[in-house]
Amino acid sequence: MTASADRYVSTRGYAADENFADALLRGIAPDGGLYMPAAWATMPADITQKGRTYADIGRDVLNPYIGSALPAGAVERALKRLVEGFDHPLVTPLVELEAGLFVLELFRGPTAAFKDLAMQLVAALSDEALAASGETLTLLTATSGDTGAAAVRAFAGAKRIKLIVLHPLDRVSPIQRKQMTTVQADNVLNLAVRGDFDDCQRLVKMLLSDETLREKGRLSSVNSINWGRLAGQIPYYVSATAQLGQAAHFVVPTGNFGDAFAGIAAGKMGLPVAGMTAAVNQNDALARAINEGVYDRRTAIESASVSMDVQAPSNFERLVFEASGRDADLTRQLFEDFAKHGTVTLPDSLLAALRKETSAVSVDEATTAEEIRHAHKAWGRVVCPHTAVALHAARKMDRNGAPVVALSTAHPSKFGGYVESVLGVAPEPAPVIAALGDQPERLSVVENDYAKVLETVSGFSA
């Protein structure tokens, strides 16, 4: 039987294939793997033609992956909701900084971060799937800041969905925390974990695999381990290419590698891409894996670019699966060994294949601050620390004649305190940030202990 883009397989090979609705609502496969489309869809030849809207692009990207799994018109309705929440007609405008160097503004949405682009889609598509089935859903997400804020904004008040957000206590920016905790919705539970993001992510994966929770009803995640989230990020690579009128080399500031893998997915679908570079901060597990061939988990170190403080990026598993020729046995063994030992050496053939998909660069704290100063002096532009990581990597690379696009993932006012400490002036707040004011916050602090987290989550999801 021919593999189809609207059927989903696990990266670990032991789970039955699913349709889009089930993959979306389950999040992680029952064998612990991540869902991937059984085949890559092919983009229409005219998808980057001038005059096509973001909604047009999104429809052509997403429909093949959904097939008949959702009611007719679901994608169009979801995209309409998405576009209406952004303050620029292009949704993700491309801005030229100097000859051949661009930033793609992904922060024009309701929480001033790129996560809005996928989260608004996932919320709308989940509503469609649940309305069709009559079911309810409990969603879990780990966040280093922006994912949680975008999820709370997208799902607050949903009638069929409960949302549980785990963030590392005192390791997100004050603005990111407030965007999660000032939303007074009864279907949202904010948990501050005494640990780092990797601890939160580990706890979410354990919860998603807990059959006692699944017995109570649908359970899923809106982290980029969810294919629906990742698929919703593909359209802005197409939009950037359409705005340029040619292939670009994309430089992506990344933590969990979902944003970067969405760009790789776009290339698999036929988008002309001159190259991909994953730019990480001092939490450099991904860069060490790509550059040295050893995937080694270390304790995450707090950085100015807090959303990238990740030392076990989940979507590296999708990259390994794809680069290995979709070898589920190799993928399963590698990540089971990594979970057990915290380190694995990548086979030479796999390492060579990974390097064909992406390069990786690590940018330290001092360089991040210097890049913020450079952007302000050279272009009069104030950037967030995550964007600064990408810009530094972009400026230092050999461009080989292709335009370079650095993804600008958050408005600088989300990290206003740090940016002000670097520049001596505070960034002008985005309207959605200014609106936060001094609203009361609601959150629960929990220990980094699975039994205690399970007890709290069970009480809320009952």
Side-chain angles (χ1 to χ4, degrees), residues 179-220:
Q179 286 186 314
M180 291 184 279
T181 61
T182 58
V183 176
Q184 305 296 315
D186 290 339
N187 70 319
V188 175
L189 174 65
N190 283 294
L191 299 180
V193 178
R194 296 188 189 277
D196 60 23
F197 170 77
D198 291 321
D199 293 320
C200 295
Q201 186 162 250
R202 173 182 54 82
L203 290 165
V204 164
K205 287 182 177 180
M206 292 173 71
L207 291 165
L208 288 169
S209 300
D210 195 313
E211 290 304 319
T212 64
L213 280 179
R214 289 197 176 277
E215 289 171 0
K216 298 178 181 179
R218 284 275 195 179
L219 193 68
S220 187

Side-chain angles (χ1 to χ4, degrees), residues 411-422:
H411 193 280
S413 62
K414 292 199 78 167
F415 308 92
Y418 177 76
V419 173
E420 183 176 8
S421 74
V422 172

Side-chain angles (χ1 to χ4, degrees), residues 176-385:
Q176 289 174 315
R177 187 192 70 247
K178 286 183 177 181
Q179 286 186 314
M180 291 184 279
T181 61
T182 58
V183 176
Q184 305 296 315
D186 290 339
N187 70 319
V188 175
L189 174 65
N190 283 294
L191 299 180
V193 178
R194 296 188 189 277
D196 60 23
F197 170 77
D198 291 321
D199 293 320
C200 295
Q201 186 162 250
R202 173 182 54 82
L203 290 165
V204 164
K205 287 182 177 180
M206 292 173 71
L207 291 165
L208 288 169
S209 300
D210 195 313
E211 290 304 319
T212 64
L213 280 179
R214 289 197 176 277
E215 289 171 0
K216 298 178 181 179
R218 284 275 195 179
L219 193 68
S220 187
S221 172
V222 285
N223 279 95
S224 58
I225 57 177
N226 189 308
W227 169 254
R229 259 282 312 281
L230 199 148
Q233 295 173 275
I234 297 172
Y236 52 74
Y237 287 96
V238 183
S239 176
T241 304
Q243 290 177 63
L244 271 175
Q246 66 181 108
H249 187 121
F250 292 98
V251 182
V252 187
T254 192
N256 221 17
F257 199 67
D259 199 9
F261 191 80
I264 291 170
K268 300 292 181 186
M269 295 175 67
L271 183 73
V273 177
M276 290 289 300
T277 296
V280 300
N281 63 18
Q282 61 188 347
N283 295 285
D284 60 351
L286 179 71
R288 285 184 284 110
I290 299 294
N291 297 325
E292 301 171 16
V294 178
Y295 188 41
D296 178 51
R297 181 173 55 233
R298 300 175 183 174
T299 301
I301 305 168
E302 190 170 1
S303 303
S305 47
V306 293
S307 297
M308 298 158 63
D309 290 350
V310 181
Q311 289 283 33
S314 282
N315 285 289
F316 187 53
E317 181 164 339
R318 282 191 170 106
L319 181 64
V320 166
F321 179 71
E322 188 64 26
S324 66
R326 299 194 158 212
D327 187 333
D329 291 334
L330 182 153
T331 304
R332 181 179 63 256
Q333 189 62 58
L334 191 150
F335 285 94
E336 286 179 351
D337 288 348
F338 179 71
K340 184 176 181 180
H341 303 295
T343 184
V344 288
T345 299
L346 305 177
D348 289 343
S349 58
L350 174 61
L351 184 58
L354 290 171
R355 289 171 175 170
K356 289 180 180 178
E357 301 289 353
T358 186
S359 60
V361 176
S362 175
V363 179
D364 63 28
E365 288 292 272
T367 305
T368 299
E370 183 54 39
E371 192 64 29
I372 291 174
R373 286 188 284 267
H374 175 84
H376 193 239
K377 181 178 179 181
W379 311 306
R381 189 175 185 91
V382 181
V383 300
C384 83

Side-chain angles (χ1 to χ4, degrees), residues 17-34:
D17 67 333
E18 302 280 5
N19 67 15
F20 177 84
D22 285 331
L24 173 72
L25 297 180
R26 183 165 188 114
I28 193 168
D31 62 359
L34 304 184

